[in-house]
Amino acid sequence: MVRPYTMKGHKRKKKSEEDKYDKEGEEEEEVAEEQPDGFDEKDDQGQEEEAVHEMEGIPIGPSDRNTKKPGVIFVLEKASLEVAKVGKNYQILNSDDHANFLKRNNKNPGDYRPDIVHQALLSILDSPLTKAGRLRAVYVKTEKSVLFEVKPHVRLPRTYKRFSGIMLQLLQKLSITAAGKREKLLRVIKNPVTQYLPVNSKKIGFSYSSEKLVKMRNHVATISDDMDLVFVVGAMAHGKIETDYTDDLVAISGYPMSAARCIARICEALEDKWGIL
């Protein structure tokens, strides 16, 4: 006996809705994992909830943002964050994953080290100096002269793969918002960086090649407690920074150091100066 047509159609409709639900669930999970960017043009509540899932990896970290005491700004120069289409997808080029691609394009794989800026940013954002609210801003300038701002209270991913995905979206979409909020935690801004620096600040650059070797604790002790400080550090594998806006260029070790280690010394010296434990 053949079943009535209406019953058969009813079951087919129910199955179709379940498949659609499962498909949408899979798409949402994929977006939450691979698309950590918010969309500023979304207005309704449903779209805002979608943005929360997308921005799950960019929360806001704890910090005392209401302090009015003098602060610190870091500028990371010559960061290796170059976007290229590898195969079917756009990626941030790095020496580990794209060595063959770089060689085929007559580029030195050793120059493509985005992990350096990742480590440098973690060193800044994880410091007690930042959590005490004394970090004003971080500016990163890439090798291609793209300038972007990193807010002091952002919590960047700990893993390089996740960080690389966020940097890719930042350079493509120009900003990334906070989880569940409209605040832009990372955003591409116009050059030059000097227009964002305090007028009466002390700007210090760091280079191993500098003839002025100083002990960082002693050096910052001579600077007035009422003055904002700007530290310019190279975020590249080799070479030195070349800027025209620094007041001083110093070396803080007789040996070459990574950007992250240099930043750690700077933060420790300032924490001692300002009594931050």
Side-chain angles (χ1 to χ4, degrees), residues 117-182:
V117 68
H118 181 213
Q119 295 169 4
L121 287 172
L122 290 180
S123 182
I124 295 171
L125 298 174
D126 286 349
S127 67
L129 181 76
T130 296
K131 294 176 181 179
R134 303 301 283 268
L135 179 67
R136 295 288 178 263
V138 181
Y139 299 101
V140 180
K141 189 174 183 179
T142 71
E143 190 68 39
K144 298 295 184 179
S145 296
V146 177
L147 180 67
F148 64 89
E149 178 187 12
V150 180
K151 290 297 180 70
H153 47 280
V154 66
R155 289 182 61 188
L156 290 178
R158 318 302 296 183
T159 63
Y160 168 74
K161 184 177 180 180
R162 180 72 169 160
F163 170 79
S164 179
I166 288 173
M167 290 296 104
L168 176 62
Q169 290 204 344
L170 171 64
L171 295 174
Q172 289 180 330
K173 297 185 178 181
L174 306 183
S175 67
I176 292 180
T177 57
K181 297 185 179 182
R182 293 298 182 185

Side-chain angles (χ1 to χ4, degrees), residues 226-272:
D226 299 327
M227 182 176 291
D228 289 319
L229 302 174
V230 178
F231 297 110
V232 185
V233 181
M236 63 286 191
H238 49 78
K240 71 174 185 177
I241 58 173
E242 297 177 356
T243 60
D244 57 359
Y245 60 87
T246 53
D247 302 318
D248 205 357
L249 184 67
V250 302
I252 57 176
S253 175
Y255 305 94
M257 292 192 303
S258 66
R261 182 64 190 126
C262 177
I263 289 167
R265 280 201 173 185
I266 296 170
C267 291
E268 289 168 0
L270 290 174
E271 287 158 8
D272 284 349

